[in-house]
């Protein structure tokens, strides 16, 4: 097949080289952005008198019919045409004749590919933002449904202090709200229009880049043509934010996996979100959570891969930069799938409130409250800590919990203990006494729900900004 750049070549491209250098297998997913960018470019060329109005019309009609063909599955992409840009341009010329060759005036694939990835990423940020909100809503639903369930809170994976299950779940809500906020930053960094940079140095034609930017709903344009075609920092910002988001999902996955084990049995995932074993008939495995935890690795990998690809590149465009897309696409797909499946998994999981309750009653997680009791009676905290530590040691030696001790036994450790000690170290008291701002008390968790509602509303308005003009 003859190449669009074939003029100076006397031999055909080696077939293996065609395959090796081609990106059409993965960049074809940017067809809509490529065509919209070309239509805006052709409109601008005609507005600036660089091509005639009828020529622009022929080009735009041709591009519109190609778009329809691709969407109808009637377009065959050719490896020999290397990438999405040349597949479309070549077909355009076949369809409308040599006037199609005017589309690439004042443009290079270097600024074209940068434009496409900016537009594609903007659209997907909106989709990912939507899915973050849906997962946050699922978390709030689960937390509200089980808002009085008490469980042990852990540090070092050792039972630490009683907490509300809802408080635990809402921690992830707030992490996701910061993921959303980071995504806003990525969107702003991506809302920057590179077209018109040409190959690297700008163009000799009197183009109007601001016109193209406004046609394509970009707020700003790159100030420097070499920057515009060389940098991929917007993708790196996306991959960084995606990595942090996946790290959060991986942590909740780890908890879901632990909690659904027989050892914990704090939750049970529904059958629809688990798989079985081909050999062990009794098994029900939390594959979704495991796979999200596993896929976190590939997203981190994509971030490292692109950082490494970009780090040694001289300005301006180098073919190495073609490596920017697969990791970005895979990250988008991974995030979208993980967020979607997670929301439905959480909504359908059963919370074993009785098991959590039994766990929190049969341990020493009320020990801090016992120390706080003594402090409120005037003992310095360090001494109170020591007294309670001795009580715990006594209990361990006598197979008792703190709640099992008689007042006489309590008094062996400190005369400050009175009959009200049992009320003070009941798990319900322990939870509700933690009503410092951000703490686990019922009123604290109610406040979290109120704030969560406000955050969700604000995020919805930001989604509308993300949506505007997306292709
Ligand atoms: N397929 C290329 C990429 O993804 C498009 C830009 C090619 N530019 C070039 N001068 N070879 O980066």
């Amino acid at each position: 097949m003859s190449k669009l750049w074939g003029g100076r070549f006397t031999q055909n491209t080696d077939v293996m080289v065609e395959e090796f250098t081609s990106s059409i297998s993965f960049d074809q997913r940017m067809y809509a952005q490529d065509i919209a960018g070309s239509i805006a470019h052709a409109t601008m060329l005609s507005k600036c008198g660089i091509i005639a109005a009828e020529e622009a019309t022929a080009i735009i009609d041709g591009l519109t019919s190609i778009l329809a063909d691709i969407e109808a599955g009637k377009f065959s992409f050719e490896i020999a045409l290397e990438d999405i840009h040349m597949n479309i341009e070549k077909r355009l010329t076949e369809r409308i004749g040599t006037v199609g060759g005017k589309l690439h005036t004042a443009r290079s694939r270097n600024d074209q590919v940068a434009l496409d990835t900016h537009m594609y990423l903007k659209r997907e940020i909106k989709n990912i933002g939507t899915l973050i909100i849906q997962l946050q809503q699922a978390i709030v639903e689960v937390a509200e449904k089980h808002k009085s369930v008490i469980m042990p809170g852990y540090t070092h994976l050792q039972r630490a202090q009683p907490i509300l299950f809802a408080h635990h779940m809402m921690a992830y809500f707030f992490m996701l709200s910061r993921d959303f906020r980071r995504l806003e930053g990525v969107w702003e960094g991506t809302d920057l229009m590179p077209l018109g940079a040409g190959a690297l140095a700008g163009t000799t034609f009197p183009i109007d880049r601001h016109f193209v930017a406004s046609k394509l709903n970009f707020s700003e344009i790159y100030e420097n043509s070499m920057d515009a075609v060389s940098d991929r920092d917007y993708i790196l910002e996306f991959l960084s934010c995606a990595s942090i988001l996946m790290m959060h999902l991986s942590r909740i996955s780890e908890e879901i996996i632990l909690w659904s084990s027989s050892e914990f049995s704090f939750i049970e995932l529904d059958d629809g979100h688990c798989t079985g074993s081909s050999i062990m008939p009794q098994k029900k495995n939390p594959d979704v959570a495991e796979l999200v935890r596993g896929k976190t690795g590939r997203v981190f990998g994509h971030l490292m891969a692109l950082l490494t690809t970009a780090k040694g590149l001289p300005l301006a465009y180098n073919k190495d930069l073609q490596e920017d897309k697969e990791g970005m696409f895979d990250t988008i797909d991974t995030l979208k799938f993980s967020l979607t499946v997670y929301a439905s998994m959480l909504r359908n999981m059963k919370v074993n409130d009785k098991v959590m309750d039994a766990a929190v009653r049969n341990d020493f997680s009320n020990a801090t409250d016992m120390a706080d009791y003594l402090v409120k009676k005037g003992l310095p905290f360090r001494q109170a800590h020591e007294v309670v530590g001795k009580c715990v040691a006594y209990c361990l030696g006598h197979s008792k919990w703190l709640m099992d001790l008689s007042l006489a036994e309590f008094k062996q450790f400190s005369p400050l203990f009175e009959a009200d000690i049992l009320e003070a170290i009941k798990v319900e008291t322990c939870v509700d006494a933690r009503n410092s701002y951000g703490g686990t008390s019922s009123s604290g968790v109610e406040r979290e729900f109120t704030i969560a509602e406000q955050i969700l509303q604000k995020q919805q308005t930001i989604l509308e900004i993300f949506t505007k003009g997306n292709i």
Side-chain angles (χ1 to χ4, degrees):
M1 181 167 300
S2 71
K3 306 286 185 199
L4 289 173
W5 39 253
R8 63 97 68 215
F9 287 77
T10 51
Q11 287 176 351
N12 288 336
T13 318
D14 184 287
V15 178
M16 199 163 62
V17 170
E18 267 185 351
E19 203 174 324
F20 186 64
T21 55
S22 159
S23 53
I24 190 61
S25 64
F26 50 86
D27 66 13
Q28 59 181 265
R29 64 158 88 188
M30 301 194 298
Y31 69 87
Q33 291 71 31
D34 197 74
I35 289 175
S38 289
I39 289 176
H41 181 67
T43 310
M44 181 278 292
L45 290 177
S46 136
K47 180 197 87 87
C48 296
I50 301 167
I51 62 172
E54 317 79 73
E55 292 172 333
T57 307
I59 289 171
I60 292 166
D61 289 350
L63 288 168
T64 310
S65 74
I66 290 172
L67 178 65
D69 281 359
I70 297 175
E71 284 183 337
K74 287 195 278 179
F75 191 98
S76 73
F77 294 103
E78 307 287 339
I79 287 178
L81 289 171
E82 203 174 316
D83 54 27
I84 184 65
H85 326 295
M86 291 197 293
N87 267 269
I88 290 175
E89 193 191 321
K90 177 89 174 179
R91 184 65 55 86
L92 178 70
T93 305
E94 281 165 14
R95 198 162 285 192
I96 67 169
T98 50
V99 64
K102 295 205 172 190
L103 172 63
H104 213 53
T105 313
R107 185 175 80 169
S108 155
R109 277 185 297 148
N110 299 349
D111 54 351
Q112 194 179 354
V113 71
L115 176 69
D116 292 3
T117 49
H118 278 80
M119 288 168 68
Y120 190 87
L121 186 56
K122 276 174 81 180
R123 183 189 78 181
E124 293 301 338
I125 287 171
K126 185 242 145 186
N127 291 334
I128 291 165
T130 308
L131 294 172
I132 291 180
I133 291 178
Q134 284 168 14
L135 177 56
Q136 287 175 300
Q137 285 165 335
I139 289 173
V140 173
E141 265 174 45
V142 172
E144 279 191 324
K145 192 160 147 208
H146 304 283
K147 67 179 176 185
S148 50
V149 174
I150 299 177
M151 66 181 287
Y154 293 80
T155 64
H156 311 267
L157 205 55
Q158 305 290 320
R159 291 180 192 169
Q161 291 174 348
I163 53 164
L164 286 178
F165 167 74
H167 191 57
H168 195 128
M169 293 307 289
M170 288 302 286
Y172 288 109
F173 174 94
F174 290 103
M175 292 180 205
L176 288 168
S177 70
R178 290 192 299 280
D179 289 318
F180 189 95
R181 202 167 65 193
R182 273 184 281 274
L183 216 50
E184 280 176 63
V186 183
W187 194 86
E188 274 167 31
T190 311
D191 188 23
L192 197 54
M193 212 282 300
L195 201 73
L200 74 163
T203 172
T204 55
F205 293 94
I207 59 170
D208 183 348
R209 295 184 61 211
H210 288 99
F211 175 83
V212 175
S214 81
K215 280 259 162 238
L216 298 173
N217 285 295
F218 278 93
S219 311
E220 287 176 71
I221 66 175
Y222 279 87
E223 296 297 330
N224 180 301
S225 61
M226 297 187 70
D227 174 28
V229 290
S230 302
D231 205 5
R232 296 295 183 264
D233 58 354
Y234 57 104
I235 302 179
L236 286 166
E237 278 184 43
F238 169 67
L239 295 175
S240 311
C241 295
S243 295
I244 298 174
L245 171 52
M246 285 304 287
M247 177 273 292
H248 288 150
L249 295 186
S250 187
R251 289 186 76 169
I252 191 171
S253 296
E254 177 65 15
E255 300 206 295
I256 297 286
I257 294 161
L258 283 173
W259 291 352
S260 62
S261 66
S262 309
E263 284 70 15
F264 274 83
S265 291
F266 282 2
I267 56 157
E268 189 182 346
L269 296 172
D270 75 313
D271 287 1
H273 290 85
C274 291
T275 59
S277 156
S278 57
I279 174 170
M280 296 166 282
Q282 84 285 9
K283 290 295 290 292
K284 178 171 154 183
N285 298 326
D287 282 25
V288 169
E290 291 174 278
L291 211 43
V292 168
R293 186 179 59 184
K295 283 177 186 292
T296 304
R298 71 200 277 160
V299 173
F300 291 3
H302 294 320
L303 171 62
M304 276 309 126
L306 185 57
L307 282 169
T308 312
T309 296
K311 78 176 263 292
L313 295 184
L315 299 187
Y317 179 84
N318 301 270
K319 184 76 169 181
D320 314 46
L321 290 173
Q322 182 166 288
E323 287 291 308
D324 62 351
K325 280 174 283 298
E326 284 160 289
M328 176 177 93
F329 295 150
D330 185 67
T331 299
I332 290 168
D333 296 345
T334 303
L335 281 189
K336 283 165 70 178
F337 217 160
S338 302
L339 288 164
T340 308
V341 75
Y342 232 89
S344 81
M345 184 179 74
L346 291 185
R347 280 201 171 95
N348 288 291
M349 93 186 167
K350 181 169 168 271
V351 174
N352 292 333
D353 47 351
K354 293 201 174 58
V355 179
M356 290 191 192
D357 198 75
V360 80
R361 282 173 210 282
N362 296 320
D363 79 342
F364 292 100
S365 62
N366 50 357
T368 314
D369 299 78
M370 193 162 149
D372 287 355
Y373 171 93
L374 292 173
V375 170
K376 283 166 194 159
K377 303 251 168 175
L379 202 63
F381 183 76
R382 269 297 143 240
Q383 277 169 262
H385 188 289
E386 174 80 14
V387 169
V388 178
K390 292 213 160 83
C391 264
V392 169
Y394 171 85
C395 286
L396 288 170
H398 293 78
S399 301
K400 291 182 176 204
W401 303 115
L402 295 171
M403 285 294 282
D404 300 331
L405 298 179
S406 67
L407 186 55
E409 285 174 302
F410 277 117
K411 281 201 182 282
Q412 282 173 25
F413 297 95
S414 169
L416 294 172
F417 285 118
E418 306 286 349
D420 59 354
I421 178 61
L422 287 180
E423 185 59 33
I425 60 171
K426 255 174 62 184
V427 288
E428 289 80 2
T429 315
C430 301
V431 166
D432 273 336
R434 288 202 163 66
N435 59 3
S436 56
Y437 198 98
T440 190
S441 67
S442 325
S443 60
V445 169
E446 287 299 337
R447 188 193 52 81
E448 290 179 53
F449 290 147
T450 309
I451 302 284
E453 194 47 48
Q454 291 164 5
I455 289 175
L456 285 170
Q457 274 170 20
K458 188 171 159 228
Q459 290 179 173
Q460 288 288 0
T461 53
I462 290 160
L463 263 195
E464 281 158 35
I465 301 172
F466 286 0
T467 308
K468 204 178 125 267
N470 274 348
I471 286 142

